[in-house]
Amino acid sequence: MTMKHTHDYKVVDVFTARPLAGNPVAVVFDADGLSTEAMQAVAGWTNLSETTFVLTPIFTCDLHAALDAAKALEAGGVMINDSSDYRFDAMPFGGFKYGSLGREGVRFAYEEMTQPKVVCIRRTARPA
């Protein structure tokens, strides 16, 4: 399938304060209505390790519509009636499927920085 590139995008450097020293990311604006296949085609066209698609925020008083939208979106997080910069420490944050590796948040940091260990002890009578 050949897809004509019609969406505005910018390439930004992340994880650095110096231009061209970080990880280049394509940010595609006005991505509403793009199918998964179209997003994959655009991501392939940019040829960068990461591509982000900006979607219209969800503001509604209809709980059913909000939950339907959250279920339909393939995303690591969905904010309804608030901005995407709202968070608290216990809230997980991260990508979805193959779009990102890992999650942020207290629970996920704890899991990343610890090594679980099982210790089983059969209690016997004390020696006399």
Side-chain angles (χ1 to χ4, degrees), residues 87-94 102-114:
R87 359 188 353 217
F88 58 94
D89 285 344
M91 186 163 91
F93 181 81
R103 291 264 183 179
E104 293 179 19
V106 174
R107 179 184 134 212
F108 300 97
Y110 175 79
E111 288 174 3
E112 273 302 307
M113 293 191 245
T114 59

Side-chain angles (χ1 to χ4, degrees), residues 72-94:
L73 288 170
E74 292 188 346
V78 176
M79 302 302 293
I80 297 172
N81 296 338
D82 210 339
S83 67
S84 61
D85 62 351
Y86 168 78
R87 359 188 353 217
F88 58 94
D89 285 344
M91 186 163 91
F93 181 81

